[in-house]
Amino acid sequence: MEKIADGHAVDPFRVLVGTMLSAQTKDAVTLAASTRLFEVASSPSALAQLSVRRIERLIYPVSFYRHKAKHVRTTSRLLLSDHGGKVPTTMAELLTLPGVGRKTANLVLILAHQSASNICVDTHVHRISNRLGWVRTKTPDQTEDALYDVVPRRWWPHVNRFLVTWGQNVCKPVYPVCGRCAIENACPRLGVTRVGR
Ligand code: SF4
């Protein structure tokens, strides 16, 4: 999710909406959907005026497109009514927006507001951190908490980017390719029962 829409990765509103659309959706699908949406409405005021049905058509086929269409429209309206049309800069405020959890909020703080004080934990970061033995946790939120204690601070905003790429290509969810992994000899492979080739 480094690149939400071509050439517009640092517009906080685009980062927020693009990140909301990205949940459980492949990056290429998210990028295409957010590009279609932003061609029609690229600001909170423009998006707030679209019908949910129109947003659904623009963002399809992202997963849960009906929920996401409602959430991005309501979020746009809340940005206008409660935040002066701007994307909030604090975790507490971001979490009041519909469809925004810690993962999305952390990514928005890192990518849109250049925060160096956040770690964004998604399923890849959670899984790989546990396989490597950096943490022993059951949920992504627990992993986020634990990572602040074990990851050197300068790496906090970069953890997501590196481990997501790692998780998509090498340390895959079901069949991690341990035999081709550069850190195989240093990894305890905790919880790994089957490997791929
Ligand atoms: S050795 Fe296997 S489990 Fe460990 S990081 Fe590499 S791919 Fe993942």
Side-chain angles (χ1 to χ4, degrees), residues 132-154:
L132 286 166
W134 291 353
V135 300
R136 303 282 176 98
T137 54
K138 301 256 185 257
T139 68
D141 283 358
Q142 291 174 1
T143 299
E144 185 194 338
D145 272 350
L147 285 177
Y148 289 121
D149 291 332
V150 297
V151 174
R153 194 177 177 104
R154 71 180 188 282

Side-chain angles (χ1 to χ4, degrees), residues 8-21:
H8 296 285
V10 293
D11 177 333
F13 180 67
R14 290 177 188 244
V15 172
L16 172 62
V17 172
T19 305
M20 291 171 75
L21 297 185

Side-chain angles (χ1 to χ4, degrees), residues 131-132 166 170-171 176-178 181 183-184 187 189 192:
R131 283 178 177 171
L132 286 166
W166 197 254
V170 182
C171 196
V177 194
C178 299
C181 180
I183 57 170
E184 182 185 14
C187 177
R189 296 195 237 174
V192 174

